[in-house]
Amino acid sequence: MSFGVALSDNLLYLYTVSESKKYRTITVYKNYFEDFFIKQRQKVKDKIIWTFTLIEEVQQVPESYLKHLEGTDGLYEIRVQQGSDIFRILCFFDEGKLLVLANAFQKKTQKTPRQEIEKALKLKEEYYEQKKKSQNA
């Protein structure tokens, strides 16, 4: 067993990490996240990967890293901050443990842009339609 440390909003989170225990699995849908990811600086990529690991391995993820978007049907945002840059990765759960990444963007305003939320909701709908078709095939 090892320990991890997360700093957010001047709060220090200490958590244990079991090498064999994952509480969630993260996957991507289509290429929106990947297109965003490859354009980022290495420090941003490292922070995104670190945040994904935290989300997969910590049973109760602090809201400073994964938060439900109010007023949406099951949409969440993964929150990543690198220096003064703030990034959001919109996602949703499938069958409780699988976190599906939709789209991502650099946040420049206080509120999450409505067009990004609408894009993620559309991707979520497409995902479930495609899943339903593949199960019926």
Side-chain angles (χ1 to χ4, degrees):
M1 184 180 303
S2 61
F3 293 92
V5 177
L7 178 63
S8 177
D9 299 326
N10 295 325
L11 295 174
L12 185 67
Y13 296 96
L14 180 64
Y15 56 90
T16 59
V17 177
S18 170
E19 280 76 14
S20 61
K21 183 70 172 172
K22 282 175 73 172
Y23 294 97
R24 284 160 220 89
T25 300
I26 295 176
T27 189
V28 296
Y29 178 62
K30 296 207 170 176
N31 61 343
Y32 296 100
F33 171 74
E34 292 165 340
D35 290 347
F36 164 82
F37 186 79
I38 61 173
K39 295 176 188 172
Q40 302 310 310
R41 299 181 326 271
Q42 189 59 48
K43 281 189 171 192
V44 174
K45 289 178 183 178
D46 293 344
K47 186 68 180 267
I48 290 170
I49 292 167
W50 179 89
T51 305
F52 287 173
T53 303
L54 178 118
I55 290 168
E56 287 185 329
E57 296 179 350
V58 174
Q59 189 169 9
Q60 290 187 321
V61 180
E63 272 194 358
S64 53
Y65 296 103
L66 180 66
K67 183 178 180 186
H68 178 258
L69 287 175
E70 293 181 21
T72 67
D73 182 26
L75 209 57
Y76 289 78
E77 65 178 6
I78 296 172
R79 305 165 130 213
V80 177
Q81 184 167 346
Q82 174 58 45
S84 61
D85 295 328
I86 299 170
F87 303 90
R88 296 294 185 255
I89 303 161
L90 301 185
C91 56
F92 53 91
F93 283 92
D94 182 11
E95 299 180 15
K97 302 270 186 211
L98 179 65
L99 191 60
V100 182
L101 305 181
N103 51 319
F105 57 95
Q106 183 170 358
K107 191 169 181 186
K108 297 181 187 236
T109 62
Q110 193 68 18
K111 293 189 80 143
T112 301
R114 189 74 212 156
Q115 71 267 20
E116 296 292 346
I117 292 172
E118 289 170 6
K119 181 192 284 185
L121 288 170
K122 183 177 181 245
L123 289 169
K124 180 182 174 197
E125 186 178 316
E126 286 177 18
Y127 172 86
Y128 282 112
E129 285 175 11
Q130 184 178 347
K131 182 178 177 180
K132 188 176 180 180
K133 284 179 187 175
S134 68
Q135 289 174 341
N136 292 336

